Amino acid sequence: WSAPVQVLTGAPFGAQHACDPSVIYRAGGWPTAGGWPWLMAVNFANGDTGNRVALAVSMDGVTWTPTGVQLSYALPGCQAPTGYGCGQFSMVHVAGRFYATFVRSGSGDDGTFAASSADGLTYYQDAKIDALTSAPDVMYDPVTGWWLFVRSTATGVDLGHAPSAAGPVYALDYWVPPPWACGATQPGFYRSAEGHRLGGDVLTMLGLPGFDCQHGDPRTDLEAGYWGVP
């Protein structure tokens, strides 16, 4: 891994922080997004309230420019969110359409939701996946046509699959990859540039090997592991 480089702060969004990025890439650029090859969905918020999702763009994947486009604007309860708000997009591009999962909390209808977009700029809600507010990372398997989900919960890491980006999610089994035990959190897939499954599956997550679930903060170390699904 190379040394990390800070690419965005909350300042361009008028916020205290920017976090939880999801990135997709297309060589030659995305025609519906000004021809930019790199697109990033990023949370911006003040503290841990009022989260919304904005679009940033890049030519090289290192220097990013906020666009002023709010990807979450057309989603119910996300224009002027209360509580946590709306955030943690996981973007995928399949067959000319953009898909994303996100979480909403504090609106009275909390949970994990699926959304889609024709242009990658305006997303519309498609379905509520479930009532959990732990956002999944998502990728598409072009061989099987299934969508794969992974996310952390209070007790471990869930790994599952679904027939569409809107679910329903099947086989979300309690899954703890050695040697992390249940301290693992914020899992993410190693995906293709457009969010598709690659061979030699790799999963990254934050965690501390041997972590005791009842003590301390697990977010201290970046780990990588291998996994497989049918």
Side-chain angles (χ1 to χ4, degrees), residues 89-156:
F89 259 45
S90 180
M91 292 191 299
V92 179
H93 182 262
V94 178
R97 193 163 181 83
F98 299 83
Y99 298 88
T101 55
F102 70 98
V103 296
R104 183 171 68 231
S105 177
S107 68
D109 183 20
D110 297 353
T112 299
F113 298 83
S116 61
S117 171
D119 57 11
L121 305 178
T122 303
Y123 282 81
Y124 296 95
Q125 184 172 306
D126 292 329
K128 182 175 183 177
I129 296 175
D130 57 35
L132 296 179
T133 55
S134 176
D137 193 33
V138 179
M139 69 178 176
Y140 174 72
D141 186 345
V143 176
T144 65
W146 286 85
W147 294 73
L148 307 178
F149 293 71
V150 65
R151 62 181 167 189
S152 57
T153 67
T155 55

Side-chain angles (χ1 to χ4, degrees), residues 30-114:
W30 300 96
T32 58
W36 294 89
W38 295 84
L39 304 182
M40 178 195 294
V42 58
N43 280 28
F44 66 98
N46 293 307
D48 198 31
T49 60
N51 277 267
R52 284 168 285 176
V53 182
L55 177 70
V57 294
S58 175
M59 292 300 296
D60 59 8
V62 177
T63 302
W64 290 86
T65 302
T67 64
V69 174
Q70 286 193 32
L71 299 179
S72 59
Y73 183 78
L75 299 172
C78 297
Q79 296 88 349
T82 58
Y84 169 84
C86 300
Q88 300 181 47
F89 259 45
S90 180
M91 292 191 299
V92 179
H93 182 262
V94 178
R97 193 163 181 83
F98 299 83
Y99 298 88
T101 55
F102 70 98
V103 296
R104 183 171 68 231
S105 177
S107 68
D109 183 20
D110 297 353
T112 299
F113 298 83

